[in-house]
Amino acid sequence: MTYLAKPKLHHPTLPKNKVGYTRRDYEGKVSTLCAGCGHDSISAALIQAFFELDILPHKVAKLSGIGCSSKTPDYFLGNSHGFNTVHGRMPSVLTGANLANRDLIYLGVSGDGDSASIGLGQFAHVMRRGVNMTYILENNGVYGLTKGQFSATADKGSKAKKGSVNADAPVDTVSLALLMGATFVARSFSGDKKQLVPLVKAAIAHEGAAFIDVISPCVAFNNHAGSTKSYDYVREHNEAVNRLDFWPNREAINIDYSEGGVIDVPQHDGSIIRLRKTHPEYDPTDRIRAANHIAEHVAKGEVLTGLLYVDPNPEDLHAHLNTVEKAFNQMDAKELCPGSAVLEKVNAALR
Ligand SMILES: Cc1ncc(C[n+]2csc(CCOP(=O)(O)OP(=O)(O)O)c2C)c(N)n1
Ligand code: SF4
Ligand SMILES: [Mg+2]
């Protein structure tokens, strides 16, 4: 059994969002992951975020690589576009799709093996190019699907279930995303939906490369004492730099907050991220200080969560390349192929 379709029965009184869909309309097939797997909680957070943002499911394209994490797009947004690519190659397929049609909302879903081991090069370049997307890395420190080998995000000295110790230095994906030019960088925990859901919403609204590393324990292979990606370890070492609330541009903010430690970060599309700072000195709009702060906490073995960096005025790949706005599938043959005379001119310019 590889999947189970969910029964299509909807209770008539289920609440609908502004585009007329119920929460059930954002679900997918029944998950076949292990009971208690962090990845399922991330799927639930994604369902909630897309439902509450009133996004039309057919306006979303979900792309993933290979792994338990990369299987999850089958378990949410069942009415959206989907592409399960090759291991570690999701970013290039997502980039191509985005270049062909910028009208969709792009959601990349990956694992730590998929992104930090085999796909490290693709991961770095998709951030550098500023592809407008929300990239979710479901980080459990192991290759769950292939039975628990250490991945490149496993901490040095952490222990596998059978006792072997990881001798290699880890890739810190948020530091790398920041270094490579991502304009929205966050970390969260699959067990903290209150933090994760607004982060996902803000990442969707962000018009550039948005990256969220979500620590997502693998209950089958990496949830024991000695693992730094277990539920217990993350709960004990979680340091949130801020808690955030998110308002899409069409909604007025009508909740009162005391001034102390609260900052508003307006996004390019008019939406607002309101940050309640838990680390008073932390400024998520300062890339260099953010990088230092993250590195200091990595050295202490703490899991720094929250919105770690945001550029309120990002530029995306289309701006870099000065592309046309129209999606390729909206163009006729004449627009797509301007003819041999134009091609001749282009070729002549290159001689
Ligand atoms: C080219 C290629 N190499 C190796 C594999 C075997 N493989 C499948 S999933 C996987 C690792 C997945 O780990 P991760 O991305 O962390 O996902 P998780 O299962 O932990 O969620 C590997 C090595 C493959 N499918 N394709
Ligand atoms: S093996 Fe690990 S990552 Fe895969 S479904 Fe089970 S708990 Fe989740
Ligand atoms: Mg993994």
Side-chain angles (χ1 to χ4, degrees), residues 1-17:
M1 181 189 68
T2 52
Y3 74 87
L4 275 177
K6 269 190 194 160
K8 281 244 180 273
L9 281 175
H10 282 202
H11 196 278
T13 61
L14 277 184
K16 290 184 174 164
N17 63 10

Side-chain angles (χ1 to χ4, degrees), residues 253-300:
I253 301 175
N254 50 17
I255 300 169
D256 242 13
Y257 279 110
S258 59
E259 284 295 301
V262 173
I263 54 163
D264 282 350
V265 185
Q267 295 268 279
H268 196 68
D269 70 344
S271 57
I272 302 277
I273 299 173
R274 177 161 288 181
L275 293 163
R276 282 167 292 152
K277 295 194 188 195
T278 48
H279 278 214
E281 82 285 7
Y282 194 76
D283 176 5
T285 60
D286 183 335
R287 183 188 283 273
I288 293 170
R289 284 185 60 194
N292 286 339
H293 201 75
I294 295 166
E296 280 163 19
H297 284 74
V298 168
K300 286 193 261 177

Side-chain angles (χ1 to χ4, degrees), residues 142-219:
V142 291
Y143 302 165
L145 191 72
T146 53
K147 309 245 175 289
Q149 302 85 350
F150 287 122
S151 81
T153 67
D155 286 311
K156 193 170 183 167
S158 64
K159 274 202 187 114
K161 202 172 170 184
K162 290 196 174 154
S164 58
V165 175
N166 181 38
D168 298 328
V171 173
D172 180 40
T173 55
V174 290
S175 298
L176 184 61
L178 201 63
L179 182 71
M180 295 314 301
T183 44
F184 180 110
V185 178
R187 174 168 275 145
S188 193
F189 173 43
S190 62
D192 187 355
K193 234 169 150 195
K194 249 181 137 176
Q195 183 190 52
L196 182 55
V197 173
L199 273 177
V200 170
K201 289 181 179 174
I204 293 167
H206 185 77
E207 294 178 347
F211 173 62
I212 311 179
D213 179 273
V214 190
I215 307 295
S216 176
C218 168
V219 289

